[in-house]
């Protein structure tokens, strides 16, 4: 049988969730067989991804590949339509790696292990479904399915305020999902033919006011997930209360769904509206960076500090998306991959530290580097990557975003200077709150009231293996970025070219002000539209 005819993507999506349905029938009293079963399924699915992409994926093509389309519910126009390209393929591999490691990280779960591992596998399937869906209604269904496992993981296995954090998470994300449904149906019923096929929707002609409204709806929905200020407040609470495996997936994968969806839908499918909102995204990115860094510095809870760090780092994704350059969008993709690896490692190590100290309050720790030297070394490596130390993936991603926005000919020099300088403030603040975190937790005198686990202090081989699986690609990408960028270089160039094509058209339609009362900085460069240089002044 020709392997390319095999339904790889359908198998990869359905394997974890179908395997989860068998968990109740596994004879196991203490949860040992269940955890080995869940880990085996996660590894098998990850291995299938690697084999399918290695064997059948063309890195030099920007087109959709491994395309599968089946009529599912024809009465409502719902098709099982899945495919991958440069935007989705690396994020699918990231999903596979982090979910597999998160299952391994949950080795000590003894409370309702069947339910826990079943939810982990169901969430695994839904996340992959979001990245491969080419039907907008299917995309919405996958987006919704992953919400329930996250809610239950926080509310059952979380900390003291787990119910509050879980309720806040589900209210924010479920309410935001309504905007996807409304905007999706509006696009589907616009024009002569009714369809949810994303490629067809992207080729439709929409009235300007309609497209702007739809763009706003998607921006709100994806902005909650990313998260964008001021839609971010659920994240620190969710991270602060979620179990370590849940935090790994939240930071490593779920936030990336928002960034991916902004590129896939807002930029690719609604390029005319993106002209109006790109400067807004750049400004929101700056706000995320500075605000997230300032709030992170004020946190005394270890996981909440890391959560606000995620808010800050996602600001670079917004700036890259808004840059209108292939380098900027390339940097946004690399930032998502890099942050996924870095954040997963830091939140896992925060969980390791909590198991030993039984607290997340940094002012109650101190001096534990003496008794946990390996944990200290690994935590330091993760923190160095997060603060963009040269030689690690965080540095390359942020540098590409900076160069992308700085070299963009779509904005005026004054606007670019403001964006770059304010973003640089966040870059300066990042080492301050991360190094002060390391100092509070590991340096100085040990708190006399801190009760350490006398049985197991430093990292075990299992924990060392999980962290190494994240740190090694962080260093590898930092030293040789092409390990990641070759997967999507061709696609990001196509996305940037597609987005830029509408700039002259919009400028001719709006030769006067687009932002006359609000924005005055963004302008279209002379080289793009001679004689029609002002779209924002």
């Amino acid at each position: 049988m020709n392997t390319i005819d095999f339904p790889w993507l359908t198998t990869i999506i359905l394997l974890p969730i179908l395997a989860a349905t068998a968990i109740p029938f596994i004879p196991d009293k203490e949860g040992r067989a269940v955890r080995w079963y869940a880990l085996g399924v996660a590894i098998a699915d990850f291995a299938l991804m690697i084999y399918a992409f290695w064997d059948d994926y063309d890195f030099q093509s920007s087109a959709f590949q491994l395309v599968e389309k089946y009529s599912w519910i024809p009465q409502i126009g719902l098709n099982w339509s899945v495919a991958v390209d440069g935007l989705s393929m690396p994020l699918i591999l990231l999903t596979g790696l982090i979910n597999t490691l998160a299952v391994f990280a949950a080795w000590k779960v003894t409370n309702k292990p069947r339910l826990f591992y079943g939810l982990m596998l169901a969430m695994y399937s839904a996340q992959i479904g979001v990245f491969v869906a080419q039907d907008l209604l299917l995309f919405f269904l996958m987006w919704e399915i992953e919400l329930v496992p996250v809610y239950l993981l926080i509310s059952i296995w979380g900390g003291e305020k787990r119910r509050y954090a879980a309720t806040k998470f589900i209210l924010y994300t479920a309410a935001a999902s309504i905007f996807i449904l409304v905007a999706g149906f509006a696009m589907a019923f616009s024009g002569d033919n009714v369809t949810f096929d994303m490629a067809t929707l992207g080729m439709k002609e929409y009235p300007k006011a309609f497209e702007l409204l739809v763009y706003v709806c998607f921006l709100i929905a994806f902005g909650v997930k990313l998260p964008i200020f001021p839609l971010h407040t659920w994240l620190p609470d969710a991270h602060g209360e979620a179990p370590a495996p849940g935090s790994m997936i939240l930071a490593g994968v779920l936030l990336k769904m928002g960034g991916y969806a902004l590129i896939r839908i807002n930029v690719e499918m609604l390029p005319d509206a993106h002209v109006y909102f790109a400067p807004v995204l750049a400004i929101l990115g700056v706000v995320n960076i500075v605000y997230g860094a300032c709030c992170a510095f004020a946190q005394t809870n270890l996981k909440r500090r890391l959560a606000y760090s995620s808010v800050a780092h996602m600001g670079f994704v917004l700036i890259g998306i808004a840059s209108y350059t292939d380098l900027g969008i390339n940097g946004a993709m690399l930032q998502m991959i890099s942050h996924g690896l870095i954040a997963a490692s830091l939140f896992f190590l925060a969980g390791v530290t909590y198991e030993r100290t039984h607290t997340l309050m940094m002012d109650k720790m101190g001096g534990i580097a003496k008794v946990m030297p390996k944990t200290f070394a690994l935590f330091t490596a993760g923190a160095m990557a997060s603060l963009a130390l040269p030689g690690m993936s965080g540095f390359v991603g942020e540098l590409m975003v900076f160069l992308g926005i700085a070299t963009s000919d779509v904005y005026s020099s004054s606007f670019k200077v403001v964006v770059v300088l304010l973003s640089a403030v966040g870059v300066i603040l990042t080492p301050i709150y991360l190094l002060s975190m390391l100092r509070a937790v590991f340096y100085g005198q040990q708190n006399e009231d801190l009760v350490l686990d006398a049985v197991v202090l430093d990292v075990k081989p299992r924990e060392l293996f999980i962290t190494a699986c994240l740190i090694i690609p962080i260093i590898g990408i930092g030293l040789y970025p092409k390990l990641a960028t070759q997967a999507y270089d061709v696609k990001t160039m196509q996305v940037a070219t597609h987005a830029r094509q509408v700039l002259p058209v919009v400028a001719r339609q709006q030769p006067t002000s687009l932002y006359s009362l609000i924005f005055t900085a963004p302008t279209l460069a002379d080289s793009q539209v001679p004689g029609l240089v002002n779209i924002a002044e």
Side-chain angles (χ1 to χ4, degrees), residues 69-74 77-81 135 138 195-197:
K69 188 172 183 178
Y70 314 101
S71 180
W72 189 6
I73 309 178
L78 176 58
N79 295 310
W80 181 269
S81 179
D135 183 283
L138 177 63
T195 179
F196 290 99
D197 181 72

Side-chain angles (χ1 to χ4, degrees), residues 441-496:
V441 175
F442 295 102
Y443 287 88
Q445 295 297 321
Q446 185 174 320
N447 192 325
E448 296 180 358
D449 297 329
L450 184 65
V451 179
L452 293 173
D453 191 329
V455 179
V456 181
L457 283 181
D458 218 347
V459 291
K460 286 185 173 182
R462 174 183 62 87
E463 297 163 335
L464 182 61
F465 173 79
I466 292 171
T467 311
C469 287
L470 296 166
I471 295 294
I472 289 173
I474 290 171
I475 298 174
I477 294 172
L479 297 176
Y480 190 63
K482 195 175 179 180
L483 287 173
T485 59
Q486 65 180 345
Y488 54 81
D489 269 335
V490 178
K491 181 62 182 181
T492 52
M493 290 180 63
Q494 183 200 51
V495 171

Side-chain angles (χ1 to χ4, degrees), residues 176 179 215-225 231:
F179 289 94
Y215 190 103
V216 171
C217 288
F218 284 126
L219 181 59
I220 293 172
F222 305 146
V224 168
K225 187 76 76 176
L231 306 175

Side-chain angles (χ1 to χ4, degrees), residues 39-296:
L39 180 61
V41 171
I43 293 174
D45 206 49
F46 187 42
L48 280 177
M49 294 177 196
I50 296 173
Y51 177 78
F53 295 149
W54 181 268
D55 193 57
D56 293 331
Y57 186 84
D58 181 7
F59 289 86
Q60 302 305 315
S61 173
S62 62
F64 284 107
Q65 303 178 53
L66 304 178
V67 179
E68 301 169 26
K69 188 172 183 178
Y70 314 101
S71 180
W72 189 6
I73 309 178
Q75 292 83 355
I76 61 173
L78 176 58
N79 295 310
W80 181 269
S81 179
V82 294
V84 293
D85 64 356
L87 294 181
S88 54
M89 190 274 284
L91 295 177
I92 293 170
L93 290 176
L94 179 70
T95 301
L97 174 63
I98 292 179
N99 274 273
T100 301
L101 295 177
V103 171
F104 201 19
W107 214 242
K108 293 185 178 180
V109 172
T110 56
N111 179 28
K112 300 182 176 68
R114 294 177 189 271
L115 178 59
F116 182 91
Y117 289 110
L119 292 173
M120 292 283 284
L121 293 178
M123 184 167 53
Y124 192 174
S125 287
Q127 291 163 3
I128 298 170
V130 168
F131 292 126
V132 301
Q134 298 304 312
D135 183 283
L136 196 53
L137 193 54
L138 177 63
F139 173 89
F140 171 76
L141 291 176
M142 293 296 178
W143 189 277
E144 288 293 283
I145 289 173
E146 60 86 21
L147 299 182
V148 178
V150 178
Y151 169 78
L152 293 175
L153 286 172
I154 297 174
S155 62
I156 298 176
W157 292 274
E160 294 180 1
K161 299 180 180 178
R162 58 185 179 274
R163 289 189 177 87
Y164 169 79
T167 302
K168 193 172 184 179
F169 165 80
I170 200 69
L171 288 176
Y172 267 73
T173 52
S177 299
I178 296 174
F179 289 94
I180 301 178
L181 187 63
V182 171
F185 270 98
M187 293 177 68
F189 284 92
S190 177
D192 298 329
N193 61 321
V194 179
T195 179
F196 290 99
D197 181 72
M198 292 168 69
T200 305
L201 292 175
M203 293 187 291
K204 281 188 176 183
E205 295 289 338
Y206 305 104
K208 185 179 74 172
F210 175 86
E211 185 166 337
L212 290 173
L213 184 60
V214 168
Y215 190 103
V216 171
C217 288
F218 284 126
L219 181 59
I220 293 172
F222 305 146
V224 168
K225 187 76 76 176
L226 190 62
I228 298 175
F229 174 89
L231 306 175
H232 68 287
T233 58
W234 63 271
L235 184 65
D237 293 304
H239 271 311
E241 302 303 324
S247 290
M248 290 174 66
I249 295 173
L250 265 174
V253 180
L254 263 65
L255 306 189
K256 313 307 171 287
M257 290 165 54
Y260 164 81
L262 278 175
I263 301 175
R264 174 70 75 202
I265 295 179
N266 289 59
V267 179
E268 278 202 305
M269 295 171 57
L270 302 168
D272 289 3
H274 186 61
V275 174
Y276 294 80
F277 282 98
V280 180
L281 293 183
I283 293 171
L284 288 173
V286 171
V287 172
N288 259 46
I289 293 170
V290 177
Y291 171 83
C294 292
C295 288

